Amino acid sequence: MQANLAKHWSLLQQHAERLKSQPLRDLFAADAERFSQFSVHLDDLLMDFSKEKIDQAALTALLQLAQAAQVEARRDAMVQGEKINSTEQRAVLHMALRDGIPAGVQVDGQDVLKEVAAVRGRFLDFAEAVRTGAYKTVSGQAFTDVVNIGIGGSDLGPVMVTTALAPWHDGPAVHFVSNVDGAHSVDTLKGLNPQTTLVIVASKTFTTAETMLNFSTALAWLKASLGEQAGQHVAAVSTNLAATRSYGIEDTRVFGFWDWVGGRYSVWSAIGLPVAIAVGKQAFTEFLAGAKAMDEHFRSAPLAQNLPVLFALLGIWRRNLLQYPTVALIPYDQHLARFPAYVQQLDMESNGKRVQLDGSPIQTSTGPVIWGEPGTNAQHSFFQLIHQGSEVIPVDFLAAANPSSQSEFADLELHHETLLTNVLAQAQALAFGRDAEAVRVDLQAAGLSAVQIEALVTHRTFPGDRPSTLMLYRQLTPYTLGRLVALFEHKVFVQGVIWGVNSYDQWGVELGKKLANVLAPALHDRTVPAGVDASTAGLLQHIHALRA
Ligand code: F6P
């Protein structure tokens, strides 16, 4: 814990103790203005947090914590290009990718916005050329399919955004290969024609083992059909231009980005190329504009009205004060089906840390486990546990007031009304539950005997008092998606500042990579390395036997 924050944490603990014994039902009964007091909006995008176990005094204490942690100063340092990623000595400027920082910011003597504009112009032009057929296959046709090969931030952003913007998808079909499991390549490539497929290899470092192996498989697949001309069906996105050259990828089809863009913050850069090919320049530009609007709000709104700041503080309240270890992220929006997976990397790779910036251990809990699936499907799977399980799991709901799909289906409005009634009902059930008396009344009305009722009553009681926040927006457009993603990015930043961690490194993924390199020869040569632990040795022997 940062020493100067101790008194704020202890005040917050007192508020948490006080509020633990005040059910949400009572908080609502005591305050007719609860909804307007505990909701904020940016244009149509509303965040309703009235169903969180919070009151004005606790919220004020949280805002004081943010102030004491110097959230605003750290935000301004990030925006000005200071090297706040201290363990890698890097600036953190994903906001620049959507023009969300002021003009003139420089990193190492380079004007950031100018560089961004130059590369953006190139990759959007290339995307348009692929879409219109101006950039042709070796046999002079238009590309029908694009395969993006990448993993982590070089995959999840493009997958999530392409899925989210399905109604805008009017370009070539876009496919994704990420897993080093050969099944992913096989299943994806087997339905495609190499004569009309463009492969994009996306890797910030261009050294990620999975991506390099998947790329070599795809290249061999292209070469088997196109011979030496296969390279014309390859484009690359990377910060490592020396490496893309060493693979013989022509510079005109290589789109760079910068070490001040973290992989999980990179979908706004040329990493978004497959998205731009799918939905086109205009929709991609609107996606950037939405994020920029959220950036401007984040940079200028007072803390008490600042959506990302409030969202972050609610997360701190849930995690550190009420001590809930996980968060369910449930979009009532089928197009956001991959949003939970995207936010898992964004949040857990950023704030899954246990030491502070100065290397000393953190005294508080940090990033929660994020998980989720779209509603209403989630209701018919794990919501039982969320409603009646032994742990409290706060929920973040997302929902649009209007459908984003256009269709001739007469029932589309009815589908959407049903979706919305469900998200509202779930949030109500979580907050207010159903007590034993109400259950008895229901069962009596259903004609059950007194004995039957008493046998069922505890099973059918809902404890309630389970918190949720709802993000509600007019429609899931590219602009709104941009705002939502930037909202989550800035939330992660604010929480990282309060916990005092570096949200922009990811050393935790390195050890496994190293050990895999050591074990690779053992798998290949079917040996057991000397000195390896007994469990791994036993597993290797078993694998060797099963492969024989
Ligand atoms: O798994 C760790 C990680 O470094 C992520 O942070 C990153 O998004 C992913 O691997 C892919 O890295 P790259 O784009 O360099 O291939």
Side-chain angles (χ1 to χ4, degrees):
M1 187 190 307
Q2 301 176 63
N4 62 325
L5 302 185
K7 71 169 199 260
H8 295 278
W9 286 118
S10 103
L11 177 62
L12 280 161
Q13 259 143 18
Q14 290 167 29
H15 285 303
E17 279 312 311
R18 181 175 55 76
L19 280 156
K20 270 179 195 163
S21 57
Q22 293 187 39
L24 278 167
R25 194 182 277 274
D26 293 359
L27 293 176
F28 273 86
D31 182 2
E33 302 301 312
R34 193 167 167 84
F35 174 76
S36 55
Q37 273 198 47
F38 298 103
S39 59
V40 277
H41 64 96
L42 173 59
D43 303 323
D44 61 296
L45 173 56
L46 172 88
M47 180 170 86
D48 168 28
F49 58 101
S50 59
K51 295 194 190 79
E52 297 289 336
K53 275 180 73 84
I54 197 146
D55 66 2
Q56 203 52 59
L59 185 57
T60 302
L62 282 166
L63 288 162
Q64 285 164 351
L65 174 76
Q67 243 150 10
Q70 303 202 311
V71 165
E72 287 159 299
R74 294 290 292 172
R75 174 197 63 197
D76 296 345
M78 171 168 73
V79 166
Q80 289 305 326
E82 279 182 36
K83 298 197 171 174
I84 63 165
N85 174 355
S86 53
T87 58
E88 297 180 307
Q89 273 307 302
R90 290 175 182 173
V92 175
L93 282 169
H94 45 276
M95 289 162 79
L97 300 168
R98 57 262 183 157
D99 299 333
I101 63 165
V105 170
Q106 296 199 348
V107 173
D108 299 332
Q110 304 294 316
D111 185 314
V112 168
L113 288 182
K114 279 192 187 148
E115 295 215 2
V116 167
V119 179
R120 189 195 297 149
R122 280 188 61 233
F123 86 79
L124 290 182
D125 284 352
F126 180 68
E128 287 305 298
V130 173
R131 284 166 59 82
T132 57
Y135 183 72
K136 294 187 189 337
T137 69
V138 296
S139 55
Q141 297 168 266
F143 285 95
T144 57
D145 294 271
V146 173
V147 176
N148 187 76
I149 297 177
I151 196 164
S154 301
D155 168 71
L156 284 163
V159 171
M160 182 277 288
V161 176
T162 309
T163 311
L165 300 185
W168 280 263
H169 193 154
D170 55 4
V174 179
H175 314 265
F176 296 91
V177 173
S178 52
N179 200 329
V180 75
D181 184 338
H184 206 175
S185 290
V186 171
D187 292 353
T188 307
L189 299 181
K190 78 175 173 211
L192 301 179
N193 178 1
Q195 290 285 335
T196 55
T197 298
L198 177 73
V199 169
I200 299 172
V201 52
S203 174
K204 178 175 167 180
T205 55
F206 229 74
T207 58
T208 303
E210 294 97 318
T211 298
M212 293 303 114
L213 183 53
N214 283 330
F215 176 43
S216 105
T217 300
L219 195 56
W221 175 77
L222 287 176
K223 277 187 176 158
S225 173
L226 304 169
E228 285 316 304
Q229 289 178 297
Q232 287 182 46
H233 284 219
V234 176
V237 183
S238 184
T239 56
N240 186 350
L241 302 186
T244 58
R245 278 182 199 139
S246 75
Y247 274 85
I249 305 168
E250 209 183 283
D251 279 0
T252 52
R253 288 190 305 283
V254 175
F255 305 96
F257 59 117
W258 304 269
D259 71 2
W260 38 260
V261 181
R264 52 197 175 272
Y265 298 86
S266 65
V267 66
W268 324 95
S269 72
I271 288 289
L273 177 60
V275 179
I277 292 175
V279 303
K281 186 175 181 164
Q282 194 187 330
F284 194 83
T285 306
E286 285 167 20
F287 170 60
L288 298 183
K292 179 182 179 183
M294 185 57 74
D295 293 341
E296 283 171 352
H297 168 81
F298 178 52
R299 283 170 46 202
S300 61
L303 296 187
Q305 273 106 52
N306 197 305
L307 257 88
V309 171
L310 290 168
F311 190 26
L313 291 175
L314 291 168
I316 297 277
W317 176 251
R318 290 163 165 185
R319 181 76 184 105
N320 298 114
L321 286 314
L322 303 179
Q323 299 183 332
Y324 304 139
T326 85
V327 176
L329 175 55
I330 314 291
Y332 274 68
D333 198 323
Q334 183 60 26
H335 287 133
L336 290 179
R338 296 299 287 158
F339 198 69
Y342 175 81
V343 173
Q344 280 179 328
Q345 187 200 12
L346 176 66
D347 201 308
M348 299 203 280
E349 198 167 66
S350 296
N351 285 341
K353 310 280 164 69
R354 47 186 267 292
V355 294
Q356 304 180 92
L357 288 171
D358 65 3
S360 61
I362 298 169
Q363 306 298 327
T364 55
S365 305
T366 57
V369 174
I370 314 264
W371 56 287
E373 281 287 321
T376 58
N377 296 20
Q379 288 172 215
H380 300 276
S381 131
F382 51 77
F383 263 56
Q384 165 63 39
L385 182 145
I386 297 186
H387 285 294
Q388 288 189 316
S390 54
E391 304 298 320
V392 172
I393 296 169
V395 183
D396 288 329
F397 292 111
L398 304 173
N402 299 284
S404 53
S405 294
Q406 305 291 325
S407 159
E408 69 287 0
F409 294 161
D411 279 349
L412 205 58
E413 276 302 320
L414 180 58
H415 280 274
H416 207 76
E417 283 164 15
T418 310
L419 189 68
L420 287 172
T421 52
N422 272 280
V423 68
L424 296 178
Q426 292 298 322
Q428 265 184 329
L430 286 169
F432 308 119
R434 191 133 189 92
D435 64 21
E437 250 344 279
V439 172
R440 285 194 182 94
V441 171
D442 287 349
L443 296 180
Q444 242 160 19
L448 273 68
S449 72
V451 174
Q452 288 171 320
I453 290 173
E454 288 316 309
L456 279 177
V457 91
T458 53
H459 295 278
R460 298 193 57 164
T461 299
F462 286 70
D465 212 26
R466 301 192 166 205
S468 67
T469 286
L470 171 60
M471 305 286 173
L472 183 65
Y473 38 91
R474 181 174 293 117
Q475 191 182 34
L476 187 65
T477 58
Y479 184 83
T480 285
L481 182 68
R483 289 187 300 179
L484 284 175
V485 178
L487 168 63
F488 277 76
E489 285 180 350
H490 297 325
K491 175 200 83 159
V492 166
F493 167 79
V494 171
Q495 292 183 337
V497 171
I498 291 172
W499 286 321
V501 301
N502 180 1
S503 301
Y504 300 103
D505 61 13
Q506 57 282 318
W507 301 109
V509 299
E510 293 305 320
L511 178 60
K513 291 184 192 172
K514 246 194 199 117
L515 296 178
N517 286 338
V518 174
L519 290 173
L523 262 300
H524 191 69
D525 305 336
R526 303 184 184 211
T527 55
V528 176
V532 76
D533 66 272
S535 168
T536 307
L539 291 169
L540 280 170
Q541 274 156 357
H542 199 64
I543 290 170
H544 298 332
L546 293 180
R547 290 175 79 199

